[in-house]
Amino acid sequence: RLAICKSSLGLTHGKGPSMETMQKYAELPSTNTWDKQWKPEVTKRWLRVSELIRENSRGASIVYVTMPFPREVVAARDWMSWLEMLSADMPPTVFVRGNGENVLTWFSE
């Protein structure tokens, strides 16, 4: 069973990604410019998440990350760029994505 103690979590409300991270994102070959993106604030949120993962997972052997949900309104190139930023300069990364529905698993022995 995996449990995370809430006292170990830090709040980052209101803090966006660094200029360095935003520059790396803008330099990716297939990324749309900020003015052509569906919601630039969503991209910035994922960039900040990528920074936090890198800061807190340097010594990890493997990293599991909830994959951003691929919405139809988000250009495929932008979504793939989010994945690139979430896994760049990281240990091996596994993206996990459900189907958006709650499930209940019954164990029988």
Side-chain angles (χ1 to χ4, degrees), residues 40-109:
E41 64 272 13
V42 174
T43 297
K44 290 177 183 177
R45 185 178 331 125
W46 281 110
L47 293 178
R48 179 64 182 139
V49 168
S50 74
E51 290 177 343
L52 292 169
I53 292 171
R54 268 190 293 286
E55 289 171 16
N56 293 287
S57 302
R58 285 197 176 107
S61 299
I62 191 166
V63 177
Y64 293 90
V65 178
T66 300
M67 185 185 313
F69 190 78
R71 301 183 185 280
E72 288 183 25
V73 293
V74 177
R77 63 177 51 185
D78 292 331
W79 186 75
M80 292 298 292
S81 295
W82 294 353
L83 299 182
E84 174 65 27
M85 291 299 294
L86 284 166
S87 60
D89 303 321
M90 294 280 292
T93 304
V94 176
F95 288 106
V96 180
R97 182 77 233 164
N99 64 359
E101 295 185 20
N102 293 326
V103 293
L104 179 62
T105 303
W106 293 89
F107 294 98
S108 59
E109 294 183 27

